[in-house]
Amino acid sequence: MRFPEYIAKQLLAQQGITIPRSRVYSQEMDLHEMWSDLTKDGTQPGIIVKAQVLTGGRGKAGGVKLVRNESDLKATCDTILAMTIKKEKVMGLLFEELLQIDREIYISIALDRKQRKPIIMLSCDGGMDIETVASNTPERIMKMPLTEASCLRNWQLRELIAFAQIPQECKDSFANVCRKLALLFHAKNCSLVEINPLVITIQGQIIAADAKLVTDDNATSGKDIAAEFAYMSPEEDPMDKEAAQAKLNFVRLDGTIGCMVNGAGLAMATMDALLMSGASPANFLDIGGGAKVEQVSAALDIISRTPGVKSVFINIFGGIVRCDMVAQGLLDALKLHPEWSLPIVVRLAGTNETEARKLLAQHPKFNLAASMSDGAKKAVELSKA
Ligand code: GDP
Ligand code: MN
């Protein structure tokens, strides 16, 4: 789960890393009061207004603006709030005090899947797009694996300090940032924490001027963070949510044939069968072992509302689940939803399949298939009809 900058920064601050003084925009807020507060100890007036989006490259797209005069503030807010950056609507604004920047450093910890370890990455080219640095001047990035999950050894800190040429008076606070970043990475089950830029100010302070945080999707930490900050991820597809509530394993794809299958292995094989018959699946859907009417109904309902779906292929293997029960579930679901207009192909095999076929044969809606490949072919034909 990805989090916007303002949340990532709060998590850094909780860990003890210095962040700029800031305010999150709300419609009711007093902009003048905010301006006075954030500019009160600046030598030069001004604040930074930052679009809150999950994508990178916001600065280049015009989503980070320096406002020097309070009279320009309202207009800048309106402009940025109306922006769409890389197809993402701006979800909010973060106001920050202006920093007097001497140097910008890049630092991150990411899970390296090849090495199966978190690695810490450091570069003196902070503020820039790190992918560009990595491809043009890879020698300007230091990568060091973390041998212990949440702990940086002193020798590692010394190497990082030397590589980034951290001045003597900042060494302790820089080492502190590195240590705390590793602790945060570990504590929140992250796949990435990034500070770009980590700023050294003219006054010799080390401040996280930008932050990114991604938690592992298999960890519960993402949900905990979301709850703590009352945050609703804009990424969350409403259909994914519905599917999760109905306890379905559902992944949206971009093909034309909706799939409803029991068992993940069979669901994958079904997708292959469709591809071999000349069309792509619109989803991966494993309804699980039970296949009760509620689940069958919820699954068909989600499929029927998926844009681009032209036909449905239901492929059930009755091992523990009885095929006649699934068939009854399908009939009941159809009664509840007379509006379903998509052609439906059903292949049922295994326990009580004869009874199941008898049940479904009474209803003209269902096209019965003799085998999985026959079903895939029929579903593809109907999707093109
Ligand atoms: P990004 O473009 O989305 O990565 O946004 P950043 O927060 O990293 O800001 C982009 C750049 O703005 C930084 O790399 C700095 O060079 C520049 N900048 C100049 N003054 C400031 C300041 O006071 N605060 C911040 N955050 N950035 C500043
Ligand atoms: Mn940045």
Side-chain angles (χ1 to χ4, degrees), residues 12-66:
L12 290 178
Q14 284 177 3
Q15 203 59 242
I17 295 173
T18 310
I19 58 167
R21 289 199 303 121
S22 67
R23 294 283 197 89
V24 175
Y25 169 84
S26 73
Q27 270 180 329
E28 311 80 54
M29 85 190 296
D30 180 346
L31 286 176
H32 174 68
E33 186 266 327
M34 177 278 295
W35 177 274
S36 312
D37 180 35
L38 292 184
T39 55
K40 69 172 180 255
D41 27 66
T43 45
Q44 52 201 29
I47 63 165
I48 303 273
V49 182
K50 309 180 83 178
Q52 296 301 289
V53 278
L54 297 175
T55 179
R58 182 179 55 151
K60 265 189 219 145
V64 179
K65 284 272 188 296
L66 163 61

Short mmCIF file of all heavy atoms in Angstrom, two decimals, residues 12-66:
data_model
loop_
_atom_site.label_atom_id
_atom_site.label_comp_id
_atom_site.label_asym_id
_atom_site.label_seq_id
_atom_site.Cartn_x
_atom_site.Cartn_y
_atom_site.Cartn_z
N LEU A 12 7.85 9.38 9.65
CA LEU A 12 9.27 9.72 9.86
C LEU A 12 9.40 10.51 11.16
O LEU A 12 10.29 10.24 11.98
CB LEU A 12 9.81 10.58 8.71
CG LEU A 12 10.00 9.93 7.34
CD1 LEU A 12 10.49 10.97 6.33
CD2 LEU A 12 10.97 8.77 7.40
N ALA A 13 8.49 11.46 11.35
CA ALA A 13 8.57 12.31 12.55
C ALA A 13 8.35 11.49 13.82
O ALA A 13 9.04 11.67 14.81
CB ALA A 13 7.54 13.44 12.45
N GLN A 14 7.39 10.56 13.76
CA GLN A 14 7.15 9.68 14.93
C GLN A 14 8.41 8.91 15.29
O GLN A 14 8.65 8.58 16.44
CB GLN A 14 6.04 8.67 14.60
CG GLN A 14 4.64 9.24 14.63
CD GLN A 14 3.60 8.19 14.23
OE1 GLN A 14 3.91 7.03 13.99
NE2 GLN A 14 2.35 8.62 14.16
N GLN A 15 9.18 8.60 14.28
CA GLN A 15 10.41 7.84 14.50
C GLN A 15 11.54 8.73 15.01
O GLN A 15 12.55 8.25 15.50
CB GLN A 15 10.79 7.21 13.15
CG GLN A 15 11.65 5.99 13.17
CD GLN A 15 11.06 4.83 13.95
OE1 GLN A 15 11.63 4.41 14.93
NE2 GLN A 15 9.93 4.31 13.50
N GLY A 16 11.37 10.05 14.86
CA GLY A 16 12.39 10.97 15.35
C GLY A 16 13.25 11.60 14.27
O GLY A 16 14.33 12.11 14.53
N ILE A 17 12.78 11.55 13.04
CA ILE A 17 13.49 12.22 11.94
C ILE A 17 12.86 13.60 11.76
O ILE A 17 11.62 13.74 11.79
CB ILE A 17 13.40 11.39 10.64
CG1 ILE A 17 14.14 10.06 10.83
CG2 ILE A 17 13.93 12.17 9.43
CD1 ILE A 17 13.99 9.08 9.68
N THR A 18 13.69 14.62 11.60
CA THR A 18 13.16 15.99 11.48
C THR A 18 12.49 16.20 10.13
O THR A 18 13.06 15.87 9.08
CB THR A 18 14.29 17.02 11.66
OG1 THR A 18 15.02 16.68 12.85
CG2 THR A 18 13.75 18.44 11.78
N ILE A 19 11.30 16.76 10.16
CA ILE A 19 10.60 17.13 8.93
C ILE A 19 10.32 18.63 8.99
O ILE A 19 10.38 19.23 10.06
CB ILE A 19 9.26 16.34 8.77
CG1 ILE A 19 8.33 16.58 9.98
CG2 ILE A 19 9.52 14.85 8.62
CD1 ILE A 19 6.91 16.10 9.76
N PRO A 20 10.05 19.26 7.84
CA PRO A 20 9.77 20.70 7.87
C PRO A 20 8.48 20.97 8.65
O PRO A 20 7.62 20.10 8.74
CB PRO A 20 9.57 21.05 6.39
CG PRO A 20 10.10 19.91 5.61
CD PRO A 20 10.00 18.70 6.48
N ARG A 21 8.35 22.16 9.20
CA ARG A 21 7.08 22.53 9.81
C ARG A 21 6.05 22.59 8.69
O ARG A 21 6.34 23.13 7.60
CB ARG A 21 7.20 23.88 10.51
CG ARG A 21 8.08 23.76 11.77
CD ARG A 21 7.87 24.91 12.72
NE ARG A 21 8.14 26.18 12.04
CZ ARG A 21 7.24 27.16 11.91
NH1 ARG A 21 6.03 27.04 12.42
NH2 ARG A 21 7.56 28.26 11.29
N SER A 22 4.88 22.05 8.93
CA SER A 22 3.92 21.93 7.82
C SER A 22 2.48 21.94 8.28
O SER A 22 2.19 21.80 9.47
CB SER A 22 4.19 20.63 7.07
OG SER A 22 3.88 19.54 7.91
N ARG A 23 1.58 22.09 7.33
CA ARG A 23 0.14 22.01 7.58
C ARG A 23 -0.49 21.29 6.39
O ARG A 23 -0.09 21.52 5.25
CB ARG A 23 -0.50 23.41 7.63
CG ARG A 23 -0.05 24.25 8.80
CD ARG A 23 -0.74 23.83 10.09
NE ARG A 23 -0.58 24.91 11.05
CZ ARG A 23 -1.44 25.92 11.16
NH1 ARG A 23 -2.53 25.97 10.42
NH2 ARG A 23 -1.22 26.88 12.03
N VAL A 24 -1.49 20.48 6.69
CA VAL A 24 -2.26 19.85 5.61
C VAL A 24 -3.45 20.75 5.29
O VAL A 24 -4.11 21.26 6.18
CB VAL A 24 -2.75 18.44 6.04
CG1 VAL A 24 -3.65 17.83 4.97
CG2 VAL A 24 -1.56 17.53 6.32
N TYR A 25 -3.68 20.97 4.01
CA TYR A 25 -4.76 21.83 3.56
C TYR A 25 -6.13 21.25 3.89
O TYR A 25 -6.35 20.05 3.78
CB TYR A 25 -4.66 22.04 2.04
CG TYR A 25 -5.87 22.69 1.42
CD1 TYR A 25 -6.01 24.08 1.43
CD2 TYR A 25 -6.86 21.92 0.83
CE1 TYR A 25 -7.13 24.67 0.86
CE2 TYR A 25 -7.99 22.51 0.26
CZ TYR A 25 -8.12 23.90 0.28
OH TYR A 25 -9.22 24.48 -0.27
N SER A 26 -7.04 22.11 4.34
CA SER A 26 -8.46 21.73 4.38
C SER A 26 -9.26 22.95 3.97
O SER A 26 -8.79 24.08 4.09
CB SER A 26 -8.86 21.28 5.78
OG SER A 26 -8.94 22.41 6.63
N GLN A 27 -10.48 22.70 3.49
CA GLN A 27 -11.30 23.82 2.98
C GLN A 27 -11.60 24.86 4.05
O GLN A 27 -11.72 26.03 3.76
CB GLN A 27 -12.61 23.27 2.41
CG GLN A 27 -12.48 22.94 0.93
CD GLN A 27 -13.78 22.41 0.37
OE1 GLN A 27 -14.56 21.76 1.06
NE2 GLN A 27 -14.01 22.68 -0.91
N GLU A 28 -11.72 24.37 5.29
CA GLU A 28 -12.13 25.29 6.36
C GLU A 28 -10.94 26.08 6.92
O GLU A 28 -11.13 26.98 7.72
CB GLU A 28 -12.76 24.53 7.54
CG GLU A 28 -13.84 23.52 7.19
CD GLU A 28 -13.28 22.20 6.72
OE1 GLU A 28 -12.45 21.64 7.45
OE2 GLU A 28 -13.64 21.76 5.62
N MET A 29 -9.73 25.74 6.55
CA MET A 29 -8.59 26.32 7.25
C MET A 29 -8.43 27.81 6.95
O MET A 29 -8.86 28.31 5.91
CB MET A 29 -7.30 25.57 6.93
CG MET A 29 -6.58 26.00 5.68
SD MET A 29 -5.25 24.86 5.24
CE MET A 29 -4.13 25.03 6.62
N ASP A 30 -7.80 28.49 7.91
CA ASP A 30 -7.53 29.91 7.77
C ASP A 30 -6.15 30.03 7.10
O ASP A 30 -5.11 29.84 7.74
CB ASP A 30 -7.54 30.53 9.17
CG ASP A 30 -7.26 32.02 9.14
OD1 ASP A 30 -6.81 32.53 8.09
OD2 ASP A 30 -7.50 32.67 10.18
N LEU A 31 -6.16 30.35 5.80
CA LEU A 31 -4.90 30.37 5.05
C LEU A 31 -3.94 31.44 5.58
O LEU A 31 -2.74 31.26 5.61
CB LEU A 31 -5.17 30.61 3.55
CG LEU A 31 -5.75 29.42 2.77
CD1 LEU A 31 -6.05 29.83 1.33
CD2 LEU A 31 -4.80 28.23 2.79
N HIS A 32 -4.52 32.54 6.02
CA HIS A 32 -3.67 33.63 6.52
C HIS A 32 -2.93 33.22 7.80
O HIS A 32 -1.73 33.46 7.94
CB HIS A 32 -4.50 34.89 6.79
CG HIS A 32 -3.71 35.98 7.44
ND1 HIS A 32 -2.69 36.65 6.78
CD2 HIS A 32 -3.74 36.47 8.71
CE1 HIS A 32 -2.15 37.53 7.61
NE2 HIS A 32 -2.76 37.44 8.79
N GLU A 33 -3.67 32.56 8.67
CA GLU A 33 -3.08 32.10 9.93
C GLU A 33 -1.97 31.09 9.63
O GLU A 33 -0.89 31.13 10.22
CB GLU A 33 -4.19 31.51 10.81
CG GLU A 33 -3.77 31.12 12.20
CD GLU A 33 -3.37 29.65 12.30
OE1 GLU A 33 -3.96 28.81 11.58
OE2 GLU A 33 -2.46 29.36 13.09
N MET A 34 -2.24 30.18 8.69
CA MET A 34 -1.25 29.17 8.29
C MET A 34 0.01 29.86 7.73
O MET A 34 1.13 29.54 8.11
CB MET A 34 -1.89 28.25 7.24
CG MET A 34 -0.99 27.18 6.64
SD MET A 34 0.09 27.75 5.31
CE MET A 34 -1.09 28.20 4.05
N TRP A 35 -0.22 30.85 6.87
CA TRP A 35 0.90 31.58 6.26
C TRP A 35 1.77 32.25 7.34
O TRP A 35 3.00 32.12 7.33
CB TRP A 35 0.36 32.64 5.28
CG TRP A 35 1.44 33.48 4.66
CD1 TRP A 35 1.98 34.62 5.18
CD2 TRP A 35 2.11 33.23 3.43
NE1 TRP A 35 2.96 35.12 4.35
CE2 TRP A 35 3.06 34.28 3.25
CE3 TRP A 35 2.00 32.25 2.44
CZ2 TRP A 35 3.89 34.36 2.14
CZ3 TRP A 35 2.83 32.34 1.33
CH2 TRP A 35 3.76 33.38 1.19
N SER A 36 1.12 32.91 8.27
CA SER A 36 1.86 33.61 9.33
C SER A 36 2.67 32.62 10.15
O SER A 36 3.82 32.88 10.50
CB SER A 36 0.91 34.34 10.27
OG SER A 36 -0.01 35.07 9.53
N ASP A 37 2.05 31.48 10.43
CA ASP A 37 2.72 30.48 11.25
C ASP A 37 3.94 29.90 10.53
O ASP A 37 5.04 29.82 11.11
CB ASP A 37 1.72 29.36 11.60
CG ASP A 37 2.37 28.30 12.46
OD1 ASP A 37 3.23 28.66 13.29
OD2 ASP A 37 2.04 27.11 12.31
N LEU A 38 3.78 29.53 9.27
CA LEU A 38 4.88 28.86 8.57
C LEU A 38 5.99 29.81 8.15
O LEU A 38 7.10 29.39 7.84
CB LEU A 38 4.36 28.08 7.35
CG LEU A 38 3.48 26.85 7.64
CD1 LEU A 38 3.14 26.13 6.35
CD2 LEU A 38 4.16 25.89 8.61
N THR A 39 5.71 31.10 8.11
CA THR A 39 6.74 32.04 7.68
C THR A 39 7.37 32.78 8.86
O THR A 39 8.22 33.64 8.67
CB THR A 39 6.18 33.10 6.69
OG1 THR A 39 5.06 33.73 7.31
CG2 THR A 39 5.75 32.48 5.38
N LYS A 40 6.92 32.46 10.09
CA LYS A 40 7.28 33.33 11.21
C LYS A 40 8.79 33.39 11.50
O LYS A 40 9.29 34.42 11.86
CB LYS A 40 6.47 33.03 12.46
CG LYS A 40 6.76 31.72 13.14
CD LYS A 40 6.01 31.66 14.49
CE LYS A 40 6.28 30.36 15.18
NZ LYS A 40 5.18 29.41 15.13
N ASP A 41 9.52 32.27 11.31
CA ASP A 41 10.95 32.45 11.55
C ASP A 41 11.81 32.34 10.29
O ASP A 41 13.00 32.06 10.38
CB ASP A 41 11.49 31.56 12.68
CG ASP A 41 10.70 30.29 12.86
OD1 ASP A 41 10.73 29.45 11.96
OD2 ASP A 41 10.05 30.18 13.89
N GLY A 42 11.21 32.56 9.15
CA GLY A 42 11.98 32.54 7.91
C GLY A 42 12.68 33.87 7.70
O GLY A 42 12.15 34.91 8.04
N THR A 43 13.90 33.81 7.14
CA THR A 43 14.59 35.06 6.84
C THR A 43 14.01 35.69 5.58
O THR A 43 13.97 36.89 5.43
CB THR A 43 16.09 34.80 6.64
OG1 THR A 43 16.25 33.66 5.82
CG2 THR A 43 16.79 34.58 7.96
N GLN A 44 13.55 34.80 4.67
CA GLN A 44 12.89 35.31 3.47
C GLN A 44 11.48 34.75 3.47
O GLN A 44 11.28 33.58 3.77
CB GLN A 44 13.63 34.86 2.21
CG GLN A 44 13.86 33.36 2.20
CD GLN A 44 14.99 32.99 1.28
OE1 GLN A 44 15.90 33.75 1.06
NE2 GLN A 44 14.92 31.80 0.72
N PRO A 45 10.47 35.60 3.16
CA PRO A 45 9.11 35.10 3.23
C PRO A 45 8.83 34.09 2.12
O PRO A 45 9.46 34.13 1.07
CB PRO A 45 8.26 36.36 3.04
CG PRO A 45 9.14 37.30 2.30
CD PRO A 45 10.55 36.97 2.68
N GLY A 46 7.89 33.22 2.39
CA GLY A 46 7.49 32.24 1.39
C GLY A 46 7.21 30.89 2.00
O GLY A 46 7.69 30.59 3.09
N ILE A 47 6.39 30.12 1.31
CA ILE A 47 6.15 28.74 1.73
C ILE A 47 6.16 27.85 0.48
O ILE A 47 6.13 28.34 -0.64
CB ILE A 47 4.79 28.55 2.47
CG1 ILE A 47 3.61 28.89 1.54
CG2 ILE A 47 4.73 29.37 3.74
CD1 ILE A 47 2.28 28.38 2.08
N ILE A 48 6.23 26.54 0.71
CA ILE A 48 6.14 25.59 -0.39
C ILE A 48 4.75 24.97 -0.36
O ILE A 48 4.27 24.57 0.71
CB ILE A 48 7.20 24.47 -0.22
CG1 ILE A 48 8.61 25.05 -0.14
CG2 ILE A 48 7.08 23.44 -1.32
CD1 ILE A 48 9.29 25.27 -1.47
N VAL A 49 4.11 24.92 -1.52
CA VAL A 49 2.80 24.27 -1.63
C VAL A 49 3.00 22.99 -2.44
O VAL A 49 3.53 23.03 -3.56
CB VAL A 49 1.78 25.19 -2.34
CG1 VAL A 49 0.41 24.51 -2.42
CG2 VAL A 49 1.67 26.52 -1.62
N LYS A 50 2.61 21.87 -1.88
CA LYS A 50 2.91 20.59 -2.53
C LYS A 50 1.66 19.75 -2.77
O LYS A 50 0.91 19.45 -1.84
CB LYS A 50 3.88 19.80 -1.65
CG LYS A 50 5.10 20.61 -1.24
CD LYS A 50 6.04 19.80 -0.39
CE LYS A 50 6.94 18.94 -1.26
NZ LYS A 50 7.90 18.18 -0.44
N ALA A 51 1.47 19.35 -4.01
CA ALA A 51 0.36 18.45 -4.36
C ALA A 51 0.57 17.12 -3.67
O ALA A 51 1.68 16.61 -3.62
CB ALA A 51 0.35 18.24 -5.88
N GLN A 52 -0.50 16.56 -3.12
CA GLN A 52 -0.41 15.22 -2.54
C GLN A 52 -0.96 14.21 -3.55
O GLN A 52 -2.14 14.18 -3.85
CB GLN A 52 -1.18 15.16 -1.22
CG GLN A 52 -0.57 16.06 -0.15
CD GLN A 52 0.89 15.71 0.15
OE1 GLN A 52 1.19 14.70 0.75
NE2 GLN A 52 1.81 16.58 -0.30
N VAL A 53 -0.03 13.45 -4.11
CA VAL A 53 -0.37 12.38 -5.06
C VAL A 53 0.52 11.20 -4.72
O VAL A 53 1.50 11.35 -4.00
CB VAL A 53 -0.11 12.79 -6.53
CG1 VAL A 53 -1.24 13.59 -7.10
CG2 VAL A 53 1.20 13.53 -6.69
N LEU A 54 0.19 10.04 -5.27
CA LEU A 54 1.00 8.86 -4.95
C LEU A 54 2.12 8.66 -5.96
O LEU A 54 3.08 7.97 -5.71
CB LEU A 54 0.13 7.62 -4.87
CG LEU A 54 -0.92 7.67 -3.75
CD1 LEU A 54 -1.83 6.46 -3.81
CD2 LEU A 54 -0.26 7.77 -2.39
N THR A 55 1.99 9.28 -7.12
CA THR A 55 2.98 9.10 -8.17
C THR A 55 4.20 9.99 -7.95
O THR A 55 4.12 10.99 -7.23
CB THR A 55 2.33 9.37 -9.54
OG1 THR A 55 3.32 9.20 -10.54
CG2 THR A 55 1.80 10.78 -9.64
N GLY A 56 5.32 9.64 -8.57
CA GLY A 56 6.51 10.47 -8.47
C GLY A 56 6.53 11.54 -9.55
O GLY A 56 5.59 11.67 -10.34
N GLY A 57 7.59 12.34 -9.58
CA GLY A 57 7.76 13.35 -10.63
C GLY A 57 6.77 14.49 -10.54
O GLY A 57 6.45 15.16 -11.52
N ARG A 58 6.32 14.73 -9.35
CA ARG A 58 5.33 15.76 -9.09
C ARG A 58 5.89 17.16 -9.33
O ARG A 58 5.25 18.02 -9.91
CB ARG A 58 4.99 15.53 -7.64
CG ARG A 58 4.01 16.29 -6.96
CD ARG A 58 3.95 15.75 -5.57
NE ARG A 58 5.26 15.77 -4.92
CZ ARG A 58 5.41 15.90 -3.61
NH1 ARG A 58 4.35 16.01 -2.86
NH2 ARG A 58 6.61 15.89 -3.09
N GLY A 59 7.13 17.37 -8.87
CA GLY A 59 7.77 18.67 -9.02
C GLY A 59 7.84 19.09 -10.48
O GLY A 59 7.43 20.19 -10.84
N LYS A 60 8.33 18.16 -11.33
CA LYS A 60 8.46 18.44 -12.76
C LYS A 60 7.11 18.76 -13.38
O LYS A 60 7.01 19.57 -14.29
CB LYS A 60 9.05 17.22 -13.48
CG LYS A 60 10.55 17.31 -13.65
CD LYS A 60 11.02 16.18 -14.57
CE LYS A 60 12.33 15.62 -14.07
NZ LYS A 60 12.47 14.17 -14.26
N ALA A 61 6.06 18.11 -12.88
CA ALA A 61 4.72 18.31 -13.44
C ALA A 61 4.07 19.60 -12.93
O ALA A 61 2.94 19.91 -13.30
CB ALA A 61 3.85 17.11 -13.10
N GLY A 62 4.76 20.33 -12.07
CA GLY A 62 4.21 21.59 -11.57
C GLY A 62 3.43 21.45 -10.28
O GLY A 62 2.72 22.36 -9.87
N GLY A 63 3.59 20.32 -9.63
CA GLY A 63 2.84 20.06 -8.40
C GLY A 63 3.53 20.53 -7.12
O GLY A 63 3.00 20.34 -6.03
N VAL A 64 4.73 21.11 -7.26
CA VAL A 64 5.42 21.67 -6.09
C VAL A 64 5.76 23.11 -6.42
O VAL A 64 6.49 23.38 -7.37
CB VAL A 64 6.72 20.89 -5.77
CG1 VAL A 64 7.44 21.51 -4.57
CG2 VAL A 64 6.43 19.42 -5.51
N LYS A 65 5.17 24.05 -5.66
CA LYS A 65 5.37 25.46 -6.00
C LYS A 65 5.84 26.27 -4.80
O LYS A 65 5.36 26.09 -3.68
CB LYS A 65 4.04 26.06 -6.50
CG LYS A 65 3.68 25.67 -7.92
CD LYS A 65 4.29 26.64 -8.91
CE LYS A 65 3.83 26.43 -10.35
NZ LYS A 65 4.18 25.17 -10.97
N LEU A 66 6.78 27.14 -5.08
CA LEU A 66 7.23 28.09 -4.07
C LEU A 66 6.36 29.35 -4.19
O LEU A 66 6.23 29.91 -5.27
CB LEU A 66 8.70 28.43 -4.32
CG LEU A 66 9.28 29.67 -3.65
CD1 LEU A 66 9.21 29.57 -2.14
CD2 LEU A 66 10.72 29.87 -4.08
#
